[in-house]
Amino acid sequence: IIASTPNGTTGIGQWYYQQWINAEADRSKYKPIKFHWSEVPDYTEEWFKNKTKGLDTRTIAQEYNLEFLGSTSSFFDDEIIRKLQDPALDVTPKKVHLLLNYNLSVFESFNPAYTYLIGVDSATAFGSDFSAIEVIEFETSNQVAEFIGKCTVDELCQLVEAVSQLYPNSLIIPETNGLGNQVIEYLSKHNILRSKTFKQPIKDVNTNTIKYKYGLTLTSENRPILLEQIYTIIAEDATKVRSRALKLQLIGLENKNGKIEGQPDDGVFALGFTYLVRAKYPQAISKVKIDNPMSLDVIKELHEQRYSHNDNSESNVYLPPQFQSQNVSTPLLDAFQRIFMSQTLTPEQNDKENK
């Protein structure tokens, strides 16, 4: 048994904070039990007022309201940290899917009217880091599903595939680091998964052209945007994060010598990948509303052709044989042509095409 009141997320209280969040996420032998003073029949509001008279708000929050608070180096201020721990905002998963003997918490089931972003942060089965999959709905940025746990990279790849099947209308966003590249390699071997994998536009300064690379590479340019998006979205509406485990990771973020990180922070960055793509690369999410059900087959053919060709070959917009007549022009096909052309042409070619 480990019994204590919270004492911050860093410094002296960091060890207890990490034990608590691991227990909350069912990743330790301990079970989290919170016993609030209000659960004692003899303790009344009058008792509470007398006990806390003259105490500062931080002491009251930690010693009596059992809240983990940050330090001067915390990423979020105390007000946001308190919101993330508000029991009234806790959300119980609607479903828990068992995938490869791992739990996927589902807060919102798939809705065909929505588009989803799947952020993937990879880790080994050993060590202190965890693998994480965070799913958000694109338009609202609401968290809809989550996996955080210990697994092999092969198992993570299969979990990502399974999650993408649960949310078919989705874009998968793995990071291009050592382990993340293994996930990307797995996805690239399957046409459907490859077509759903995020491709980051990278400018070639030598040729002044845009090339596309599978996966998300964090750089000195886009990392601040990722952190800004995390802060802004959470500060504006903390209810967008439903998972208790993710909330606890968020409150543990701190500035360490100019670098924002936490222990752990795997779920945070998987979430951040989705926020970054949503903010900086929205053109990667090509959502076209279909009025005519017959057009769905055309979309599938265009989609498959766009992503199944060799990336080193010249990219062309493809039309199925029945639509190759010069007289055929529909808003749907025109929209797809504009989307695909904007992703495959150089900026100069785009300007010429738009004229």
Side-chain angles (χ1 to χ4, degrees):
I1 297 175
I2 305 173
S4 176
T5 54
N7 187 19
T9 60
T10 61
I12 295 175
Q14 183 175 15
W15 181 85
Y16 182 72
Y17 159 73
Q18 290 177 343
Q19 297 302 312
W20 180 264
I21 64 174
N22 285 335
E24 282 264 14
D26 197 25
R27 296 195 300 261
S28 85
K29 60 184 178 182
Y30 296 104
K31 300 297 180 184
I33 299 174
K34 183 180 288 188
F35 189 62
H36 194 264
W37 65 264
S38 61
E39 297 177 68
V40 181
D42 293 340
Y43 291 174
T44 63
E45 285 291 337
E46 189 66 27
W47 173 91
F48 175 70
K49 289 179 181 178
N50 290 333
K51 278 288 186 179
T52 57
K53 187 176 181 179
L55 297 179
D56 62 87
T57 56
R58 287 182 64 86
T59 300
I60 295 172
Q62 292 188 135
E63 297 297 323
Y64 289 91
N65 289 332
L66 308 180
E67 296 175 357
F68 287 97
L69 297 181
S71 64
T72 54
S73 62
S74 293
F75 182 63
F76 291 109
D77 59 38
D78 284 350
E79 181 182 356
I80 298 173
I81 289 175
R82 287 195 183 98
K83 285 181 180 178
L84 288 168
Q85 296 176 87
D86 186 349
L89 302 181
D90 283 349
V91 178
T92 302
K94 293 181 178 179
K95 297 178 183 178
V96 177
H97 288 291
L98 188 62
L99 306 175
L100 301 177
N101 293 321
Y102 296 101
N103 289 334
L104 176 77
S105 298
V106 175
F107 302 96
E108 289 183 21
S109 298
F110 172 69
N111 185 328
Y114 297 151
T115 299
Y116 299 90
L117 305 181
I118 303 173
V120 184
D121 191 46
S122 311
T124 63
F126 308 98
S128 59
D129 293 333
F130 294 87
S131 291
I133 302 172
E134 297 289 350
V135 187
I136 71 164
E137 196 275 303
F138 170 65
E139 292 186 10
T140 63
S141 70
N142 288 336
Q143 180 193 28
V144 300
E146 174 187 77
F147 161 77
I148 299 178
K150 287 284 189 185
C151 63
T152 66
V153 178
D154 286 342
E155 289 173 326
L156 178 62
C157 293
Q158 295 174 60
L159 285 169
V160 172
E161 180 175 8
V163 172
S164 73
Q165 291 171 347
L166 288 173
Y167 295 90
N169 191 20
S170 59
L171 184 70
I172 305 170
I173 312 167
E175 185 183 8
T176 57
N177 56 15
L179 295 174
N181 285 329
Q182 294 183 46
V183 176
I184 294 170
E185 182 179 352
Y186 177 90
L187 298 174
S188 66
K189 291 178 180 178
H190 304 77
N191 284 348
I192 295 177
L193 292 176
R194 183 173 67 247
S195 70
K196 297 173 67 172
T197 303
F198 171 69
K199 294 179 73 175
Q200 184 172 347
I202 299 175
K203 185 174 182 178
D204 188 326
V205 294
N206 296 320
T207 62
N208 197 32
T209 58
I210 301 296
K211 296 183 178 180
Y212 291 86
K213 181 180 179 181
Y214 286 108
L216 177 66
T217 301
L218 288 185
T219 66
S220 58
E221 177 192 0
N222 62 24
R223 185 183 175 92
I225 300 175
L226 179 149
L227 295 171
E228 178 188 26
Q229 287 297 307
I230 290 176
Y231 188 92
T232 301
I233 292 174
I234 303 303
E236 288 180 352
D237 187 358
T239 64
K240 290 184 178 297
V241 176
R242 278 75 179 272
S243 159
R244 178 73 178 168
L246 183 55
K247 291 177 182 179
L248 287 170
Q249 285 196 15
L250 286 164
I251 70 175
L253 289 177
E254 61 176 327
N255 189 330
K256 295 182 179 179
N257 299 318
K259 186 177 182 181
I260 305 298
E261 57 185 27
Q263 283 295 329
D265 58 14
D266 321 278
V268 170
F269 278 92
L271 179 74
F273 298 159
T274 67
Y275 285 176
L276 175 59
V277 169
R278 181 176 179 270
K280 185 172 174 58
Y281 310 104
Q283 73 277 9
I285 304 125
S286 303
K287 182 179 179 182
V288 178
K289 293 183 179 179
I290 306 168
D291 297 322
N292 180 1
M294 291 297 292
S295 299
L296 182 59
D297 293 331
V298 180
I299 291 176
K300 289 179 178 178
E301 289 196 58
L302 286 168
H303 195 257
E304 179 65 19
Q305 179 66 17
R306 168 65 180 86
Y307 289 103
S308 63
H309 71 275
N310 187 321
D311 287 340
N312 295 322
S313 64
E314 182 180 353
S315 298
N316 295 300
V317 176
Y318 169 81
L319 294 181
Q322 66 270 35
F323 288 95
Q324 290 181 1
S325 168
Q326 294 181 351
N327 297 325
V328 173
S329 178
T330 68
L332 175 67
L333 293 178
D334 292 343
F336 261 87
Q337 284 183 336
R338 286 195 301 272
I339 292 168
F340 293 157
M341 293 295 281
S342 67
Q343 292 189 9
T344 56
L345 296 180
T346 65
E348 292 79 6
Q349 289 173 319
N350 262 323
D351 290 340
K352 183 178 179 181
E353 185 70 22
N354 290 333
K355 292 177 182 178

